[in-house]
Amino acid sequence: MNKQEFTISVYTENQIGLLNRIAIMFSRRKINVESLNVSPTEIEGISRFTIVINEAEDVVRKLARQIEKQIEVLKVYYNTNEEVIWQELALYKVPTDVISEKAKVERLLREYGAQAVVIRSDYTVFETVGHREEIDGLLEALAPYGLIEFVRSARVAIIKDSEGFHNKLKEFENREPSEAVIENEFLNKQSEVFTM
Amino acid sequence: METLDITKETTAEKPQPAKVSLSGSQAVLEALIAENVKTVFGYPGGAIMPIYDALYDYKDKLEHILVRHEQGGIHAAQGFARASGEVGVVFATSGPGATNLVTGIADAMIDSTPLVCITGQVFAHLLGTDAFQETDVINITTPVTKWNYQVTEASEIPSVLAKAFYIARSGRPGPVLVDITKNAQVEKFDYKGYIPCNHIRSYLPKPKVRKKFIAEAAKLINEAKKPFVLFGQGIILGEAEKEFQTFIEKAGLPSAFTIMGESAIPSDHPLNVGMLGMHGNYAPNVLTNECDVLIAIGMRFDDRVTGRLDKYAKQAKIIHLDIDPAEIDKNVKTTVPVWGDCKETLPLLTELINKTEHTAWLQRFRDLEQEEIKQVINEELNPSTEIMSMGEVIKVLNKLTNEDAIIVTDVGQHQMVACRYAKFKNSRSNITSGGLGTMGFGLPAAIGAKYGAPERTVVSISGDGGFQMTIQELGTIMQFGADVKILILNNQFLGMVRQWQELFNDRRYSFVNITSPDYITVAKGYGIAGKRIDKREDLESSLQEMLSYKGSYLLEVMVGKENNVFPMVPQGCSVSEIRLK
């Protein structure tokens, strides 16, 4: 099966040790995590892991079920890039004299929509927000101009078809599971899995 | 169960909730009593001393069995859980005490055994300082526990233990570990009673049963010409033995068991066609690749059951009943998934299937069985050689125990032979380390099983290799008197590895030649009676002596050194390529 990029969104209780419990599910299967972000959600006390991996869908589905099985995990979604809106943020540190002297650099920064965060006499820090290709594009373009330091954040992603987690959580708090709470209800019915 | 005199502190008008000041350690023991725990296996040490100190005052309410090694303790708790259906409980201290539990936790995880492991931990302020006997047991056990949690404040204890017991026993059971720092054991807090847990919002123990899939499954079964049922431990864990029997009887479905599912229905049930897997019976393996509908119930398609996956039941439509959604499609692609507790799903399915028989199809199993009897079983049960076989020992044991004993096995050739030839009338009678294959499991698990089912005869069967791995638990028997019948089948080899070396490594016997101590003298040193035999004429009388002996008894039977277990599905082969010799 063909590997492709999947964004796995994991809704969890905020609990110490859960990061490890989730991380080892990937390492045990020798799956490289391309990007990992843990953040709060629209609901207090619920965390959201956003994990990007490059794998075949079959592997991702099984993995999602194993993650969802963990006691403190509420729900797992996995989506292809077409099904999410995502961003990454990057910081670039460039010598200030290079920018001030070379018009080409300035053009590059405009082209990639980079914003200056800090300007000092010795260096300037720019940021860009976007998809990896854009970020990497500027990284490559800046390399010949004495790029001092570069860092890129993990991906954060929002699922296009999601209505948020409020209603879902109410269902989870009921003792009797509703139809929608059932894991893997829509076996092999890819499109329906993402209705949330 | 109320065990404390809880005094009500009432103020002038408003009645306050009853409360009493308890230490964390007392709260641990109160929780166990509230969960109806009667027996705990354990071993004390520095970081769990406050709990043991509290235990001193609870001796009349909780039975504590002092084992000889923490691994023995956890295997005993497993044996207890498997025999009784209750949660097994084990205590260990921090550091080495906790790490010694790991093998048993992994074993319980893969075999879905409900356990609550309570470990002591260094003081909270010392966490992360490499303190004496500090290990990060939470992170060590994360991959092999259903859930684990570190308690650092006494007030957390009642709710955490309530959660622990709920998680361990509900849904697909499994081991839970609660690590309690020493300060939390010592601290006093306002105890407001114990509230059992029955809901965790992020945890769904049983998926909801969907009628649509039940109907689809019933349709497949009704249309099937050659249906075949595989059943695993899920039947036993779900206490669905009756429901299962009704189900297979209604449609006349031939049914084969995994070693974890063995004893869920009686061995001589007319629809029981034997054991699956690498050393299982001939017919169920071969006919897996001939059936048209394969109905897997509470089993997980382990590679020792399926052999080569891309040649496994490719012709069949697959119905998979399991409580754990992650098992569906994990190894074998399912045609119809039936999620849920089989206690609920089986009756729904039974209702929708037609009453029928599959006489000719069942006869295929019986015909192939005859082939296996002719080529393998006859010689194993009635050897032409002077030296005894493992199979004939089991045969005589069946006769003398009236097929009513709990058989606890270790791992290796004797395990396969025992699972193949032991006969069972009652559920929860075959206790073995299935998924993990833990040598050394047998003796301590048998001790635990005896506490879990005190009215039943418990026979521990081990090989000469595995027995030496946890031989120290004879000391536990010596001190606490568990009436365990210990049978050692001694072939003077690590037999299963030797068999593989013979068959696949040109008889290059690399470190499989293991020597044994004089087990009878060892047993004697522990105050346990024993006997060693190597002649067939002594077999029945000696087994009888062992079984009727008052108290534990060790019988060592010398068996053929280079006997092999057949049939066998060689690794990497399809189940239909099973070898009879």
Side-chain angles (χ1 to χ4, degrees):
Chain A
M1 255 190 269
N2 288 336
K3 289 190 177 184
Q4 59 169 318
E5 218 163 68
F6 279 95
T7 303
I8 303 174
S9 307
V10 186
Y11 286 87
T12 73
E13 300 288 351
N14 185 3
Q15 175 95 48
I16 292 173
L18 193 55
L19 172 61
N20 181 39
R21 206 169 254 283
I22 290 173
I24 60 175
M25 317 218 59
F26 293 85
S27 54
R28 176 177 175 188
R29 292 167 179 81
K30 244 183 154 44
I31 296 171
N32 194 28
V33 173
E34 308 283 339
S35 146
L36 164 70
N37 180 74
V38 187
S39 82
T41 59
E42 61 273 20
I43 302 163
E44 203 190 326
I46 304 284
S47 300
R48 178 173 181 158
F49 288 63
T50 306
I51 304 161
V52 182
I53 61 171
N54 209 330
E55 265 301 339
E57 198 210 318
D58 188 47
V59 175
V60 179
R61 182 171 52 229
K62 287 178 189 175
L63 190 61
R65 284 183 192 169
Q66 296 290 347
I67 297 171
E68 199 162 82
K69 205 164 112 172
Q70 303 307 314
I71 305 293
E72 276 113 358
V73 171
L74 289 137
K75 192 73 191 151
V76 180
Y77 301 96
Y78 61 93
N79 297 90
T80 60
N81 285 347
E82 290 71 45
E83 293 157 342
V84 291
I85 294 157
W86 83 95
Q87 293 286 53
E88 290 169 5
L89 178 140
L91 298 176
Y92 311 75
K93 190 198 275 180
V94 194
T96 304
D97 51 350
V98 175
I99 313 163
S100 53
E101 282 162 22
K102 297 214 163 81
K104 206 175 167 200
V105 175
E106 196 194 319
R107 215 167 46 240
L108 267 178
L109 295 173
R110 284 177 191 282
E111 216 173 279
Y112 284 92
Q115 309 263 349
V117 185
V118 169
I119 303 168
R120 289 177 28 156
S121 58
D122 48 350
Y123 63 78
T124 301
V125 175
F126 293 98
E127 67 165 19
T128 58
V129 174
H131 287 188
R132 180 166 297 188
E133 304 78 58
E134 297 153 6
I135 289 169
D136 287 354
L138 182 58
L139 171 68
E140 253 173 63
L142 282 177
Y145 300 101
L147 176 70
I148 302 166
E149 209 176 328
F150 166 77
V151 65
R152 185 181 58 215
S153 78
R155 169 185 294 192
V156 292
I158 272 183
I159 303 166
K160 288 179 184 168
D161 283 345
S162 165
E163 292 164 0
F165 210 66
H166 286 287
N167 288 333
K168 204 90 197 157
L169 190 66
K170 276 185 204 141
E171 290 166 12
F172 278 100
E173 281 171 350
N174 284 334
R175 267 147 215 260
E176 279 304 307
S178 75
E179 285 290 335
V181 178
I182 306 307
E183 285 94 332
N184 310 306
E185 167 110 11
F186 302 103
L187 183 77
N188 295 336
K189 292 175 188 160
Q190 185 72 1
S191 60
E192 290 168 70
V193 174
F194 305 111
T195 56
M196 236 170 138
Chain B
M1 193 187 296
E2 212 67 275
T3 58
L4 274 178
D5 289 328
I6 296 179
T7 44
K8 274 199 171 167
E9 298 167 16
T10 46
T11 51
E13 274 129 26
K14 264 192 184 168
Q16 293 289 305
K19 63 180 182 188
V20 61
S21 179
L22 278 195
S23 71
S25 299
Q26 287 172 310
V28 169
L29 302 179
E30 286 299 323
L32 298 188
I33 288 162
E35 292 288 351
N36 213 12
V37 173
K38 303 261 181 340
T39 309
V40 176
F41 303 89
Y43 205 101
I48 199 168
M49 277 187 64
I51 289 179
Y52 273 85
D53 182 57
L55 192 58
Y56 192 81
D57 294 326
Y58 280 75
K59 276 186 288 196
D60 53 335
K61 294 170 197 145
L62 277 172
E63 180 180 35
H64 178 274
I65 307 299
L66 176 68
V67 292
R68 291 300 180 268
H69 186 285
E70 289 86 354
Q71 187 188 351
I74 189 158
H75 290 329
Q78 290 179 272
F80 178 93
R82 296 268 288 273
S84 67
E86 308 288 325
V87 178
V89 180
V90 60
F91 285 169
T93 193
S94 65
T99 56
N100 280 343
L101 295 179
V102 172
T103 303
I105 298 176
D107 192 285
M109 185 70 177
I110 201 163
D111 281 349
S112 309
T113 308
L115 294 184
V116 169
C117 309
I118 295 172
T119 51
Q121 181 57 280
V122 300
F123 285 91
H125 72 271
L126 292 174
L127 288 169
T129 65
D130 300 325
F132 178 65
Q133 293 194 328
E134 185 198 356
T135 43
D136 184 357
V137 66
I138 293 294
N139 278 310
I140 288 175
T141 59
T142 294
V144 289
T145 48
K146 189 173 172 187
W147 186 68
N148 60 11
Y149 188 83
Q150 186 173 62
V151 173
T152 50
E153 281 172 34
S155 58
E156 295 177 277
I157 286 173
S159 61
V160 168
L161 283 178
K163 217 172 148 181
F165 275 93
Y166 173 59
I167 291 168
R169 71 161 72 94
S170 60
R172 179 177 179 176
V176 165
L177 182 136
V178 179
D179 193 36
I180 309 177
T181 57
K182 204 167 176 181
N183 58 295
Q185 298 172 38
V186 177
E187 274 164 22
K188 297 235 171 196
F189 71 108
D190 285 342
Y191 181 72
K192 299 192 177 80
Y194 184 83
I195 305 159
C197 175
N198 59 12
H199 178 71
I200 298 168
R201 69 177 179 182
S202 58
Y203 168 57
L204 185 66
K206 295 177 189 179
K208 189 169 173 175
V209 177
R210 276 154 306 151
K211 299 266 167 68
K212 181 180 150 238
F213 286 133
I214 302 260
E216 280 178 29
K219 184 163 177 280
L220 279 186
I221 296 170
N222 287 337
E223 288 166 358
K225 297 277 176 290
K226 295 190 273 185
F228 181 27
V229 172
L230 317 179
F231 64 99
Q233 197 193 196
I235 306 285
I236 299 170
L237 292 170
E239 295 173 358
E241 292 93 345
K242 281 217 174 68
E243 289 80 358
F244 175 69
Q245 206 167 314
T246 316
F247 165 70
I248 58 169
E249 282 168 4
K250 184 167 179 190
L253 305 167
S255 305
F257 54 83
T258 70
I259 60 170
M260 297 303 293
E262 185 164 15
S263 85
I265 58 170
S267 309
D268 60 3
H269 190 283
L271 290 169
N272 189 340
V273 295
M275 173 171 144
L276 292 163
M278 186 174 265
H279 293 290
N281 290 113
Y282 187 56
N285 274 306
V286 170
L287 296 178
T288 295
N289 279 359
E290 282 185 33
C291 66
D292 58 359
V293 175
L294 193 69
I295 307 139
I297 308 177
M299 56 87 75
R300 57 185 180 83
F301 293 109
D302 181 270
D303 61 279
R304 286 296 194 267
V305 162
T306 62
R308 192 168 153 173
L309 264 183
D310 59 0
K311 290 186 177 175
Y312 183 79
K314 285 293 168 197
Q315 78 295 342
K317 297 212 163 64
I318 313 255
I319 301 169
H320 194 172
L321 286 77
D322 209 290
I323 198 166
D324 177 0
E327 286 301 336
I328 308 290
D329 284 349
K330 189 183 81 179
N331 295 332
V332 172
K333 194 90 186 138
T334 307
T335 317
V336 179
V338 182
W339 289 302
D341 184 343
C342 57
K343 182 108 182 160
E344 294 164 28
T345 53
L346 280 172
L348 294 171
L349 200 49
T350 306
E351 196 151 314
L352 297 183
I353 59 174
N354 300 333
K355 189 161 171 47
T356 174
E357 278 173 27
H358 294 277
T359 323
W361 170 236
L362 185 60
Q363 192 54 42
R364 290 271 290 130
F365 286 87
R366 296 306 171 200
D367 291 346
L368 290 179
E369 185 184 19
Q370 284 309 315
E371 195 63 27
E372 185 181 346
I373 289 174
K374 212 162 71 192
Q375 292 200 48
V376 180
I377 298 175
N378 270 343
E379 177 61 23
E380 181 67 33
L381 298 185
N382 312 289
S384 49
T385 55
E386 206 168 290
I387 185 80
M388 283 181 279
S389 70
M390 293 183 181
E392 68 177 313
V393 180
I394 307 294
K395 181 183 79 173
V396 178
L397 188 67
N398 285 336
K399 184 179 137 193
L400 297 179
T401 56
N402 200 22
E403 305 175 7
D404 197 22
I406 293 181
I407 307 282
V408 186
T409 46
D410 210 83
V411 168
Q413 283 187 320
H414 76 277
Q415 175 192 31
M416 291 298 111
V417 171
C419 288
R420 282 177 55 78
Y421 298 108
K423 304 271 183 230
F424 300 99
K425 280 185 181 150
N426 301 303
S427 185
R428 294 194 177 277
S429 295
N430 184 47
I431 298 177
T432 192
S433 168
L436 200 68
T438 306
M439 284 175 72
F441 174 85
L443 178 64
I447 295 170
K450 188 65 192 178
Y451 287 99
E455 73 293 347
R456 298 189 63 189
T457 300
V458 175
V459 183
S460 153
I461 307 178
S462 297
D464 46 319
F467 191 73
Q468 292 186 66
M469 283 201 179
T470 46
I471 194 168
Q472 78 283 348
E473 297 309 325
L474 290 173
T476 308
I477 296 176
M478 169 182 69
Q479 188 169 354
F480 296 91
D483 181 1
V484 175
K485 309 305 182 190
I486 305 160
L487 185 56
I488 301 175
L489 302 178
N490 187 347
N491 59 7
Q492 303 165 66
F493 267 120
L494 297 173
M496 188 58 91
V497 180
R498 188 210 54 75
Q499 173 171 344
W500 282 49
Q501 289 178 348
E502 176 190 334
L503 297 175
F504 310 120
N505 294 359
D506 294 328
R507 285 181 184 265
R508 286 154 53 90
Y509 288 170
S510 186
F511 300 98
V512 288
N513 186 349
I514 189 168
T515 55
S516 282
D518 178 344
Y519 292 116
I520 313 312
T521 308
V522 172
K524 198 175 162 211
Y526 281 107
I528 297 167
K531 188 177 181 181
R532 176 190 208 224
I533 58 166
D534 55 9
K535 291 195 179 56
R536 184 163 292 122
E537 60 261 34
D538 299 329
L539 179 61
E540 187 163 341
S541 60
S542 303
L543 278 172
Q544 188 56 60
E545 189 181 341
M546 172 184 89
L547 292 167
S548 26
Y549 193 84
K550 206 167 170 308
S552 185
Y553 188 99
L554 185 149
L555 179 66
E556 179 187 10
V557 182
M558 304 307 290
V559 294
K561 279 187 79 167
E562 297 189 52
N563 291 7
N564 288 334
V565 187
F566 279 110
M568 179 176 192
V569 181
Q571 202 161 38
C573 289
S574 155
V575 282
S576 51
E577 296 171 89
I578 185 167
R579 286 167 61 171
L580 282 170
K581 56 179 78 167

